[in-house]
Amino acid sequence: MKNKKLEKYVDEKTTSLNDKAFLDELKQNAAPEKNNRLSKKSLFVICTSSLVTVALLVAIVCVVLLYNPAIKSEEHYYMSGDENRRASTLNELNAATTYYDLASDANADIDIVFDTVSNDDLYYEVNIDLEDTFEYVKIVVVTNKFYDYKFEHFDYTDRETLGSYVLNYIVMTQEEDGIYTHKVDAEIITSAEKIYITYEGLGLEQESNFIYCIEQLLAY
């Protein structure tokens, strides 16, 4: 004997499976789970793409900074072939220095050397011929912090404190027939300027007059 109640339940379920509206409802209920899986995947792709984009941008910036010195820092590059000079004055020189001035009574020929491309001032060259004492002094004052002046000299052996900084120097002496020739290379390096000195003197004394001469020429 058939169970009518069971048959009725089976018929209802079978009918619902053939019902298009019912099937559409099932699809809609299942869709969020699928969409959720797709969303997670899309989010992963978006994040990965963003990271790659950021990495590329960082790499580009680094390359630009490495190969473009003008952006990387304030460094300046000067070529010796671009240098020129003009006559300068004691006032102009002393206005450009911080720790040492040239004495006002120094009878000096002064030139300023500048870069013709950038028009930047590079250094001052001072030539002083002391005929009365048979001494000659050349002083180079570098006031441009980016400029590297090539000062060829022997290793310094002596030092003297002048003002707030140290004068490093080396004296080379030769004697002939009781006459002494003294040649000196010296430098003073401050936080604002670099001073390079070449000195030559003749005398009857074995000891050089260099320190006394420089103390008279430089005010500090």
Side-chain angles (χ1 to χ4, degrees):
M1 183 177 63
K2 297 182 178 179
N3 190 325
K4 293 183 178 181
K5 186 175 181 179
L6 182 58
E7 289 179 352
K8 182 178 180 182
Y9 176 79
V10 172
D11 290 341
E12 289 176 353
K13 292 298 181 182
T14 303
T15 302
S16 64
L17 290 174
N18 293 325
D19 187 355
K20 185 176 184 302
F22 176 73
L23 293 176
D24 290 340
E25 184 178 356
L26 286 178
K27 292 179 180 179
Q28 291 178 358
N29 291 334
E33 182 178 357
K34 181 178 180 182
N35 290 339
N36 187 47
R37 288 198 300 270
L38 290 175
S39 298
K40 289 180 179 179
K41 183 178 180 181
S42 299
L43 181 61
F44 175 78
V45 172
I46 292 172
C47 290
T48 303
S49 300
S50 299
L51 290 174
V52 171
T53 301
V54 171
L56 288 174
L57 288 174
V58 171
I60 291 171
V61 170
C62 290
V63 170
V64 171
L65 290 177
L66 285 174
Y67 291 96
N68 193 337
I71 295 176
K72 181 176 64 175
S73 68
E74 296 182 355
E75 291 182 356
H76 297 245
Y77 299 91
Y78 302 111
M79 302 292 292
S80 59
D82 296 328
E83 294 180 7
N84 201 351
R85 65 176 59 212
R86 62 172 174 80
S88 184
T89 64
L90 179 69
N91 289 336
E92 185 178 17
L93 168 61
N94 289 342
T97 57
T98 302
Y99 296 100
Y100 295 89
D101 286 344
L102 188 64
S104 59
D105 59 348
N107 184 18
D109 292 325
I110 305 173
D111 284 346
I112 184 171
V113 178
F114 60 95
D115 181 72
T116 57
V117 176
S118 63
N119 206 36
D120 291 343
D121 294 338
L122 303 178
Y123 63 90
Y124 291 83
E125 184 177 299
V126 181
N127 290 278
I128 305 172
D129 194 354
L130 303 170
E131 296 179 354
D132 293 341
T133 56
F134 304 101
E135 294 172 293
Y136 166 77
V137 183
K138 175 182 176 181
I139 303 175
V140 173
V141 183
V142 181
T143 55
N144 186 321
K145 64 180 180 179
F146 299 110
Y147 183 73
D148 183 21
Y149 183 84
K150 303 300 183 183
F151 183 60
E152 298 182 0
H153 62 85
F154 294 98
D155 293 336
Y156 300 124
T157 57
D158 299 287
R159 55 190 292 155
E160 186 80 20
T161 300
L162 296 181
S164 301
Y165 292 89
V166 172
L167 170 69
N168 291 295
Y169 65 100
I170 179 173
V171 180
M172 295 157 285
T173 301
Q174 292 181 342
E175 184 270 336
E176 185 176 352
D177 297 331
I179 298 177
Y180 293 89
T181 301
H182 304 287
K183 294 183 179 181
V184 183
D185 292 330
E187 69 177 33
I188 303 174
I189 307 298
T190 79
S191 58
E193 63 248 345
K194 300 174 184 177
I195 302 174
Y196 303 101
I197 303 170
T198 303
Y199 167 93
E200 295 182 9
L202 289 176
L204 300 176
E205 301 294 332
Q206 186 174 0
E207 185 177 351
S208 168
N209 194 47
F210 169 70
I211 294 298
Y212 176 79
C213 179
I214 296 303
E215 288 178 335
Q216 302 308 305
L217 292 177
L218 293 182
Y220 46 88

